[in-house]
Amino acid sequence: MTSFDASPQLNVWRALLALAVVFVMLATTGWTASRNQRGDTPLQASLSAWEHGRIGGHRLPDPGSAPGKLARFFASLSETERAGLARRYPLAVGNMNGAPVELRYRANRIALAEEREVERERLHDDRLTPAGQQDAGRRMNRLDDLLEKGRRILAFDPAGSGRVAEVFGDLRRADRVSVVVPGVDTDLLTFQRTHRKYSAPVGMARSLYDAERQASPSTRTAVIAWADYTAPSGLGIDSATAMRAEEGAVRLDALVRALPGRAPVSLFCHSYGSVVCGVAAHRLPGRVSDIAVAGSPGMRVENAAQLRTAARVWAMRDADDWIQDVPYLELGGLGHGADPVSSGFGARVLSAAGAKGHAGYFEPGTASLFNFAEIGVGAYRSVHCAHEDGGCRTGLSGAAAA
């Protein structure tokens, strides 16, 4: 039972409980949104250098220009000129919406190698505490992982806890594109895991990519593990508000608008990632065909219509996901609104049979992963609904693209 299905008295008790929890967090941890401002990050420095750069005697375009304008600029250059820009401004080019994706992959390999050298020096810096050296060693190991041959890193920012995005499949030739939007505690170090690998963005995206290929071998798919926003750290005040989601929504919209081609895009939003997708929904371009949320604390609205999107909205939650015990309300900016799997929300509610806990939705063999894959390839009539009446398929047609 959710706060939007329950009695008014229960709603009041849940609101008071939520406020009590927030006050305790504030008293013990402070507003984690208040952080010391630091100087220019490596990415900002690279963008500043780009802004002062020239090619063929002409100034380089504004790196914040519309993706189409930047795409035309890069198309006007020779391969040698493009490669030269990637070498001179690797972080700028590697994160530039509108730059050719293959060039971004190349630029980010350069940036990753440069950052690995920075961390190697920190590892052996006697001025650092043992904990600081250990952190440098962990970051260096993660950078080694990302530099493995064949990996396609679409975005990389080493500042702070780090942001990164990776592509599985051929993004330029894809018939359909899927984007995995993860939740709290997502950063450079947690981008992939050896244990519980399907709870991390890389494992989620790889699992979805494999499942989509199995669902429709003839459909060219690409999946993006998108950890290119600053996610909340832990279950503090950041995770109870929309501040991080609002920042992430801007970045998610920019990503989608810069994707090559015209293939439909499906968003798969887990936990706090569903807050990001909810905030972004109204601004996303029309090529976003589906928004599917799992283990959602809410999407900052009271019903799907308030998302103001033409995309199909899907939701699922497994029976033992602890997120169901979070109060589904929004009060004074705290909380994220109605439960997306509640009857009054209006989403198409999918089965998550087989998934266990809050982080099990991308585990192979689960109904949740099967459903994500069917949505990803456009086989909407094949999805398994949470309810026996098959209501989640009402009014749908379509099979996987040929």
Side-chain angles (χ1 to χ4, degrees), residues 5-319:
D5 295 328
S7 68
Q9 292 86 353
L10 184 55
N11 287 342
V12 171
W13 279 111
R14 284 182 168 171
L16 292 174
L17 175 61
L19 287 175
V21 170
V22 168
F23 287 137
V24 169
M25 288 191 297
L26 291 179
T28 57
T29 66
W31 286 93
T32 58
S34 263
R35 296 199 171 114
N36 293 330
Q37 296 299 313
R38 298 162 58 182
D40 279 356
T41 66
L43 175 54
Q44 289 169 338
S46 185
L47 288 168
S48 179
W50 170 282
E51 289 170 348
H52 292 89
R54 290 180 174 270
I55 189 167
H58 301 286
R59 295 189 63 176
L60 297 173
D62 182 346
S65 299
K69 180 178 180 180
L70 290 170
R72 290 189 293 273
F73 163 73
F74 281 104
S76 73
L77 304 178
S78 68
E79 177 58 32
T80 299
E81 289 172 325
R82 287 192 288 269
L85 290 176
R87 285 194 303 272
R88 274 182 281 162
Y89 317 105
L91 279 171
V93 174
N95 291 277
M96 193 172 293
N97 290 320
V101 292
E102 296 293 342
L103 188 66
R104 290 180 66 170
Y105 301 156
R106 188 186 314 174
N108 281 320
R109 286 195 67 81
I110 297 170
L112 286 163
E114 291 180 351
E115 185 63 18
R116 185 193 181 283
E117 183 61 22
V118 169
E119 297 300 341
R120 188 191 69 79
E121 292 178 2
R122 290 183 65 233
L123 179 63
H124 300 289
D125 189 340
D126 293 336
R127 295 170 298 179
L128 289 182
T129 65
Q133 290 178 323
Q134 184 180 38
D135 177 71
R138 296 204 324 266
R139 286 175 66 97
M140 190 173 72
N141 290 337
R142 175 61 69 241
L143 296 168
D144 280 339
D145 292 337
L146 295 174
L147 281 165
E148 289 177 357
K149 185 177 181 181
R151 298 191 71 165
R152 300 178 175 96
I153 306 304
L154 185 66
F156 169 62
D157 182 355
S161 57
R163 296 196 301 246
V164 62
E166 183 173 9
V167 176
F168 298 89
D170 189 336
L171 197 54
R172 290 186 301 111
R173 298 178 61 245
D175 297 318
R176 299 187 66 94
V177 176
S178 298
V179 182
V180 174
V181 183
V184 299
D185 292 329
T186 299
D187 56 30
L188 179 64
L189 292 179
T190 61
F191 186 57
Q192 65 185 73
R193 292 189 175 103
T194 301
H195 304 292
R196 298 177 62 245
K197 65 180 180 178
Y198 300 116
S199 66
V202 168
M204 292 176 177
R206 279 180 172 160
S207 182
L208 179 58
Y209 180 61
D210 290 343
E212 288 181 349
R213 294 177 70 187
Q214 182 176 355
S216 180
S218 62
T219 303
R220 295 190 300 260
T221 63
V223 179
I224 302 173
W226 190 76
D228 193 27
Y229 81 104
T230 303
S233 178
L235 298 179
I237 194 70
D238 278 359
S239 63
T241 68
M243 185 183 73
R244 296 296 177 200
E246 288 166 354
E247 297 170 352
V250 173
R251 300 185 67 81
L252 181 60
D253 177 60
L255 165 81
V256 175
R257 292 184 183 278
L259 292 176
R262 297 182 178 180
V265 176
S266 299
L267 306 181
F268 298 94
C269 320
H270 177 246
S271 192
Y272 189 86
S274 66
V275 185
V276 177
C277 292
V279 174
H282 74 278
R283 74 182 81 189
L284 294 169
R287 68 185 294 188
V288 175
S289 59
D290 300 275
I291 300 175
V293 303
S296 175
M299 301 180 75
R300 304 295 296 184
V301 293
E302 293 186 9
N303 55 64
Q306 292 181 356
L307 293 171
R308 291 182 288 152
T309 177
R312 286 168 286 268
V313 179
W314 310 82
M316 67 170 71
R317 186 176 64 223
D318 72 73

Side-chain angles (χ1 to χ4, degrees), residues 334-364:
L334 300 172
H336 301 302
D339 183 354
V341 303
S342 64
S343 58
F345 189 83
R348 299 175 181 273
V349 184
L350 297 162
S351 172
K356 291 181 171 57
H358 187 58
Y361 294 97
F362 290 84
E363 289 274 355

